[in-house]
């Protein structure tokens, strides 16, 4: 299996621009998670889906952030408009809820907002 | 809300020696799970070991073992026979039972294994 795939691996953008991060979970997994990692706040869960339905979005910082999962093999995290404080590494992870609690992480997207 | 505390921001150990990383957590839940994840310089997060709170026996995975003290809300990770490849950030994490899949992470401990 290819593991969790994230794109792009690096993104540099200017303040005010829209940013879209993409994730392909491991085939057969039914839960998908978006995390953000910063030096100040550590690793935080932003939102997670189960069977394509958002279950917990309490970690989404504000309305500028939105996430979608249109099907079992694809999810996006969008920031519009982006701000310098959004600079972080964004991880996507997936798991098979009914068989294991292990979350498998992707390589992350390093986002820099200038 | 649950919190996870890792009191050691950085640690170092000599190759082949044993090191213990500390983790404490705060929860009012009785059913939960605890995890240690490793993040090497490549940035990829990897599960090291998992413990179910209802199990009294400490989990072990090869050179990695935990000391789970439920009453004290402590969950330390012991790495035996440390290897250079163990150099990484180690994160302790908490997951409430009962169907939630939300992981709450500690701030991490940076472990360096010296040759």
């Amino acid at each position: 299996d290819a593991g969790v795939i994230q794109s792009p691996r690096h993104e540099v953008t200017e303040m005010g621009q829209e940013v879209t991060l993409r994730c392909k979970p491991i085939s057969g997994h039914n839960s998908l998670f978006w995390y953000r990692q910063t030096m100040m706040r550590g690793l935080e869960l932003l939102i997670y889906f189960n069977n394509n339905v958002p279950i917990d979005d309490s970690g989404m910082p504000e309305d500028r952030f939105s996430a979608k999962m249109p099907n079992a093999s694809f999810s996006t995290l969008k920031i519009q408009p982006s701000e310098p404080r959004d600079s972080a590494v964004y991880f996507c992870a997936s798991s098979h809820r009914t068989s294991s609690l292990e979350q498998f992480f992707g390589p992350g997207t390093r986002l820099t907002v200038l | 809300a649950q919190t996870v505390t890792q009191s050691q921001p950085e640690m170092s150990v000599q190759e082949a020696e044993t090191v213990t990383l500390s983790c404490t957590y705060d929860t009012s839940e009785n059913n939960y799970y605890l995890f240690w994840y490793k993040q090497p310089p490549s940035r990829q997060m990897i599960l090291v070991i998992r413990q179910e709170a209802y199990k009294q026996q400490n989990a072990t995975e090869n050179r990695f073992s935990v000391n789970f003290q439920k009453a004290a809300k402590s969950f330390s990770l012991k790495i035996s026979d440390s290897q250079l490849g163990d150099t990484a950030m180690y994160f302790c994490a908490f997951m409430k039972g009962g169907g939630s899949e939300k992981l709450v992470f500690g701030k991490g401990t940076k472990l360096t294994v010296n040759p």
Side-chain angles (χ1 to χ4, degrees):
Chain A
D1 200 319
V4 175
I5 299 172
Q6 291 187 247
S7 64
R9 294 293 306 276
H10 303 272
E11 177 82 23
V12 179
T13 190
E14 293 189 347
M15 184 174 64
Q17 296 297 307
E18 177 179 296
V19 175
T20 300
L21 310 182
R22 296 172 175 80
C23 176
K24 177 179 169 56
I26 293 172
S27 177
H29 282 189
N30 54 8
S31 291
L32 182 138
F33 309 82
W34 283 102
Y35 290 91
R36 178 173 67 176
Q37 185 176 35
T38 63
M39 288 294 292
M40 290 294 294
R41 300 176 66 88
L43 200 61
E44 307 171 282
L45 177 68
L46 300 177
I47 184 171
Y48 84 89
F49 298 82
N50 181 252
N51 292 327
N52 312 337
V53 176
I55 302 300
D56 186 336
D57 65 354
S58 59
M60 294 288 264
E62 49 199 272
D63 292 346
R64 297 185 299 106
F65 286 69
S66 63
K68 293 183 179 179
M69 192 164 186
N71 57 62
S73 59
F74 184 67
S75 177
T76 59
L77 178 67
K78 187 175 293 187
I79 308 173
Q80 165 65 13
S82 58
E83 297 183 3
R85 59 192 169 121
D86 301 330
S87 296
V89 179
Y90 291 81
F91 288 99
C92 177
S94 70
S95 73
H96 193 292
R97 180 179 178 178
T98 51
S99 66
S100 170
L101 294 175
E102 180 178 358
Q103 294 181 16
F104 293 81
F105 283 72
T109 295
R110 180 176 293 279
L111 173 66
T112 303
V113 183
L114 303 174
Chain B
Q2 289 77 24
T3 58
V4 177
T5 301
Q6 294 180 248
S7 59
Q8 306 149 315
E10 293 192 40
M11 294 190 71
S12 63
V13 64
Q14 292 299 122
E15 196 175 7
E17 294 188 348
T18 296
V19 64
T20 298
L21 310 183
S22 300
C23 173
T24 58
Y25 56 95
D26 186 25
T27 184
S28 58
E29 303 287 333
N30 191 51
N31 179 25
Y32 53 87
Y33 304 86
L34 297 163
F35 305 81
W36 280 97
Y37 274 86
K38 170 185 177 181
Q39 185 178 39
S42 66
R43 213 168 64 195
Q44 188 95 25
M45 296 280 288
I46 304 163
L47 178 66
V48 175
I49 199 165
R50 180 183 101 180
Q51 175 80 42
E52 292 85 349
Y54 63 84
K55 289 186 177 179
Q56 291 187 331
Q57 187 172 7
N58 289 323
T60 299
E61 288 287 343
N62 301 313
R63 298 183 295 108
F64 298 87
S65 61
V66 299
N67 183 4
F68 173 47
Q69 301 289 328
K70 190 172 184 179
K73 297 180 182 175
S74 171
F75 183 61
S76 60
L77 174 70
K78 185 171 83 170
I79 306 174
S80 304
D81 185 25
S82 297
Q83 300 176 359
L84 297 178
D86 295 334
T87 293
M89 284 289 291
Y90 287 83
F91 293 92
C92 179
F94 173 98
M95 180 188 290
K96 190 169 63 172
S100 172
E101 294 186 84
K102 181 175 181 176
L103 274 174
V104 176
F105 284 90
K107 290 293 179 67
T109 295
K110 183 178 180 181
L111 176 67
T112 301
V113 180
N114 298 309

